[in-house]
Amino acid sequence: MHILEIRPAPPGDGRTLARFDLQLVDGVRLYNLKLTEKPDGRRRVFAPSAFGCAAATFNNEIADQIVRAASAALGENNREQHQRAA
C-alpha cells in the first residue's frame, strides 16, 4: 500500500483532514479518498461516491491500514510544508 499523493483539506472543510490517492497491491489505484477525524479523535477513510453510492468500501483491517498510511503521509506533508515556510 502506498500513498501516491495527499492534499491537506483547506480550512473550513468540516472534519475532512485531507484527500489522497492510494495504490494497493497489484497496481490497483484509488483516487480522491477522504481522511476525516471524528469528534473523539478517531480517523476514518471514505471513498468517493458514484451515482449516490460508495465507489468502494473497506473492511476494518484494511481501513485501519489506509488511515495509518494516510495519517503518516499527511504528517510528512505538513512537516515538509513547514520546513519550506521557515
PDB file of all heavy atoms in Angstrom, residues 70-86:
ATOM      1  N   ALA A  70      -2.277   7.113   5.408  1.00  0.00           N
ATOM      2  CA  ALA A  70      -2.640   8.488   5.055  1.00  0.00           C
ATOM      3  C   ALA A  70      -2.242   9.453   6.160  1.00  0.00           C
ATOM      4  O   ALA A  70      -1.756  10.555   5.876  1.00  0.00           O
ATOM      5  CB  ALA A  70      -4.140   8.580   4.768  1.00  0.00           C
ATOM      6  N   SER A  71      -2.430   9.071   7.412  1.00  0.00           N
ATOM      7  CA  SER A  71      -2.049   9.939   8.529  1.00  0.00           C
ATOM      8  C   SER A  71      -0.546  10.187   8.525  1.00  0.00           C
ATOM      9  O   SER A  71      -0.089  11.311   8.749  1.00  0.00           O
ATOM     10  CB  SER A  71      -2.485   9.319   9.854  1.00  0.00           C
ATOM     11  OG  SER A  71      -3.896   9.258   9.933  1.00  0.00           O
ATOM     12  N   ALA A  72       0.226   9.133   8.273  1.00  0.00           N
ATOM     13  CA  ALA A  72       1.683   9.283   8.205  1.00  0.00           C
ATOM     14  C   ALA A  72       2.074  10.193   7.042  1.00  0.00           C
ATOM     15  O   ALA A  72       2.921  11.078   7.195  1.00  0.00           O
ATOM     16  CB  ALA A  72       2.343   7.918   8.058  1.00  0.00           C
ATOM     17  N   ALA A  73       1.449   9.996   5.894  1.00  0.00           N
ATOM     18  CA  ALA A  73       1.748  10.834   4.727  1.00  0.00           C
ATOM     19  C   ALA A  73       1.343  12.283   4.978  1.00  0.00           C
ATOM     20  O   ALA A  73       2.052  13.204   4.578  1.00  0.00           O
ATOM     21  CB  ALA A  73       1.043  10.292   3.482  1.00  0.00           C
ATOM     22  N   LEU A  74       0.228  12.485   5.648  1.00  0.00           N
ATOM     23  CA  LEU A  74      -0.220  13.843   5.957  1.00  0.00           C
ATOM     24  C   LEU A  74       0.758  14.515   6.906  1.00  0.00           C
ATOM     25  O   LEU A  74       1.122  15.679   6.721  1.00  0.00           O
ATOM     26  CB  LEU A  74      -1.623  13.825   6.560  1.00  0.00           C
ATOM     27  CG  LEU A  74      -2.238  15.183   6.881  1.00  0.00           C
ATOM     28  CD1 LEU A  74      -2.377  16.027   5.625  1.00  0.00           C
ATOM     29  CD2 LEU A  74      -3.599  14.982   7.538  1.00  0.00           C
ATOM     30  N   GLY A  75       1.224  13.779   7.905  1.00  0.00           N
ATOM     31  CA  GLY A  75       2.212  14.326   8.828  1.00  0.00           C
ATOM     32  C   GLY A  75       3.498  14.695   8.112  1.00  0.00           C
ATOM     33  O   GLY A  75       4.075  15.747   8.361  1.00  0.00           O
ATOM     34  N   GLU A  76       3.944  13.853   7.200  1.00  0.00           N
ATOM     35  CA  GLU A  76       5.156  14.125   6.422  1.00  0.00           C
ATOM     36  C   GLU A  76       4.951  15.332   5.518  1.00  0.00           C
ATOM     37  O   GLU A  76       5.806  16.194   5.412  1.00  0.00           O
ATOM     38  CB  GLU A  76       5.528  12.894   5.588  1.00  0.00           C
ATOM     39  CG  GLU A  76       6.867  12.983   4.925  1.00  0.00           C
ATOM     40  CD  GLU A  76       8.025  13.051   5.921  1.00  0.00           C
ATOM     41  OE1 GLU A  76       7.925  12.464   7.013  1.00  0.00           O
ATOM     42  OE2 GLU A  76       9.028  13.703   5.593  1.00  0.00           O
ATOM     43  N   ASN A  77       3.773  15.420   4.898  1.00  0.00           N
ATOM     44  CA  ASN A  77       3.459  16.548   4.027  1.00  0.00           C
ATOM     45  C   ASN A  77       3.445  17.848   4.817  1.00  0.00           C
ATOM     46  O   ASN A  77       4.006  18.855   4.384  1.00  0.00           O
ATOM     47  CB  ASN A  77       2.099  16.312   3.356  1.00  0.00           C
ATOM     48  CG  ASN A  77       1.732  17.389   2.368  1.00  0.00           C
ATOM     49  OD1 ASN A  77       1.311  18.469   2.760  1.00  0.00           O
ATOM     50  ND2 ASN A  77       1.894  17.099   1.092  1.00  0.00           N
ATOM     51  N   ASN A  78       2.834  17.840   5.999  1.00  0.00           N
ATOM     52  CA  ASN A  78       2.780  19.046   6.835  1.00  0.00           C
ATOM     53  C   ASN A  78       4.181  19.453   7.289  1.00  0.00           C
ATOM     54  O   ASN A  78       4.501  20.634   7.343  1.00  0.00           O
ATOM     55  CB  ASN A  78       1.873  18.824   8.046  1.00  0.00           C
ATOM     56  CG  ASN A  78       0.413  18.820   7.675  1.00  0.00           C
ATOM     57  OD1 ASN A  78       0.024  19.306   6.615  1.00  0.00           O
ATOM     58  ND2 ASN A  78      -0.406  18.252   8.527  1.00  0.00           N
ATOM     59  N   ARG A  79       5.027  18.461   7.608  1.00  0.00           N
ATOM     60  CA  ARG A  79       6.394  18.742   8.037  1.00  0.00           C
ATOM     61  C   ARG A  79       7.180  19.399   6.893  1.00  0.00           C
ATOM     62  O   ARG A  79       7.893  20.367   7.093  1.00  0.00           O
ATOM     63  CB  ARG A  79       7.074  17.444   8.479  1.00  0.00           C
ATOM     64  CG  ARG A  79       8.413  17.657   9.139  1.00  0.00           C
ATOM     65  CD  ARG A  79       9.002  16.366   9.708  1.00  0.00           C
ATOM     66  NE  ARG A  79       8.009  15.586  10.432  1.00  0.00           N
ATOM     67  CZ  ARG A  79       7.684  14.319  10.137  1.00  0.00           C
ATOM     68  NH1 ARG A  79       8.268  13.699   9.151  1.00  0.00           N
ATOM     69  NH2 ARG A  79       6.785  13.679  10.831  1.00  0.00           N
ATOM     70  N   GLU A  80       7.027  18.886   5.664  1.00  0.00           N
ATOM     71  CA  GLU A  80       7.729  19.458   4.505  1.00  0.00           C
ATOM     72  C   GLU A  80       7.271  20.885   4.235  1.00  0.00           C
ATOM     73  O   GLU A  80       8.081  21.759   3.961  1.00  0.00           O
ATOM     74  CB  GLU A  80       7.501  18.606   3.266  1.00  0.00           C
ATOM     75  CG  GLU A  80       8.222  17.267   3.296  1.00  0.00           C
ATOM     76  CD  GLU A  80       7.856  16.388   2.136  1.00  0.00           C
ATOM     77  OE1 GLU A  80       7.184  16.866   1.194  1.00  0.00           O
ATOM     78  OE2 GLU A  80       8.240  15.203   2.151  1.00  0.00           O
ATOM     79  N   GLN A  81       5.965  21.137   4.324  1.00  0.00           N
ATOM     80  CA  GLN A  81       5.452  22.489   4.088  1.00  0.00           C
ATOM     81  C   GLN A  81       5.971  23.444   5.144  1.00  0.00           C
ATOM     82  O   GLN A  81       6.317  24.585   4.852  1.00  0.00           O
ATOM     83  CB  GLN A  81       3.924  22.486   4.078  1.00  0.00           C
ATOM     84  CG  GLN A  81       3.342  21.872   2.834  1.00  0.00           C
ATOM     85  CD  GLN A  81       1.825  21.890   2.837  1.00  0.00           C
ATOM     86  OE1 GLN A  81       1.189  22.262   3.819  1.00  0.00           O
ATOM     87  NE2 GLN A  81       1.237  21.477   1.725  1.00  0.00           N
ATOM     88  N   HIS A  82       6.043  22.999   6.391  1.00  0.00           N
ATOM     89  CA  HIS A  82       6.530  23.834   7.480  1.00  0.00           C
ATOM     90  C   HIS A  82       8.015  24.178   7.252  1.00  0.00           C
ATOM     91  O   HIS A  82       8.439  25.315   7.469  1.00  0.00           O
ATOM     92  CB  HIS A  82       6.337  23.139   8.830  1.00  0.00           C
ATOM     93  CG  HIS A  82       6.819  23.938   9.991  1.00  0.00           C
ATOM     94  ND1 HIS A  82       6.195  25.095  10.408  1.00  0.00           N
ATOM     95  CD2 HIS A  82       7.877  23.783  10.817  1.00  0.00           C
ATOM     96  CE1 HIS A  82       6.844  25.606  11.435  1.00  0.00           C
ATOM     97  NE2 HIS A  82       7.877  24.813  11.704  1.00  0.00           N
ATOM     98  N   GLN A  83       8.805  23.197   6.814  1.00  0.00           N
ATOM     99  CA  GLN A  83      10.230  23.424   6.567  1.00  0.00           C
ATOM    100  C   GLN A  83      10.431  24.400   5.420  1.00  0.00           C
ATOM    101  O   GLN A  83      11.312  25.253   5.455  1.00  0.00           O
ATOM    102  CB  GLN A  83      10.934  22.101   6.270  1.00  0.00           C
ATOM    103  CG  GLN A  83      11.095  21.230   7.500  1.00  0.00           C
ATOM    104  CD  GLN A  83      11.637  19.860   7.170  1.00  0.00           C
ATOM    105  OE1 GLN A  83      11.712  19.470   6.007  1.00  0.00           O
ATOM    106  NE2 GLN A  83      12.020  19.120   8.201  1.00  0.00           N
ATOM    107  N   ARG A  84       9.604  24.307   4.375  1.00  0.00           N
ATOM    108  CA  ARG A  84       9.713  25.244   3.237  1.00  0.00           C
ATOM    109  C   ARG A  84       9.373  26.673   3.662  1.00  0.00           C
ATOM    110  O   ARG A  84       9.950  27.623   3.180  1.00  0.00           O
ATOM    111  CB  ARG A  84       8.779  24.814   2.101  1.00  0.00           C
ATOM    112  CG  ARG A  84       9.389  23.759   1.234  1.00  0.00           C
ATOM    113  CD  ARG A  84       8.526  23.507   0.033  1.00  0.00           C
ATOM    114  NE  ARG A  84       8.240  22.073   0.043  1.00  0.00           N
ATOM    115  CZ  ARG A  84       7.083  21.530  -0.225  1.00  0.00           C
ATOM    116  NH1 ARG A  84       6.061  22.259  -0.555  1.00  0.00           N
ATOM    117  NH2 ARG A  84       6.921  20.241  -0.181  1.00  0.00           N
ATOM    118  N   ALA A  85       8.398  26.806   4.572  1.00  0.00           N
ATOM    119  CA  ALA A  85       7.962  28.132   5.009  1.00  0.00           C
ATOM    120  C   ALA A  85       8.999  28.782   5.918  1.00  0.00           C
ATOM    121  O   ALA A  85       9.047  30.009   6.037  1.00  0.00           O
ATOM    122  CB  ALA A  85       6.622  28.041   5.731  1.00  0.00           C
ATOM    123  N   ALA A  86       9.825  27.991   6.565  1.00  0.00           N
ATOM    124  CA  ALA A  86      10.809  28.531   7.523  1.00  0.00           C
ATOM    125  C   ALA A  86      12.020  29.147   6.833  1.00  0.00           C
ATOM    126  O   ALA A  86      12.302  29.073   5.745  1.00  0.00           O
ATOM    127  CB  ALA A  86      11.281  27.421   8.450  1.00  0.00           C
TER     128      ALA A  86
END
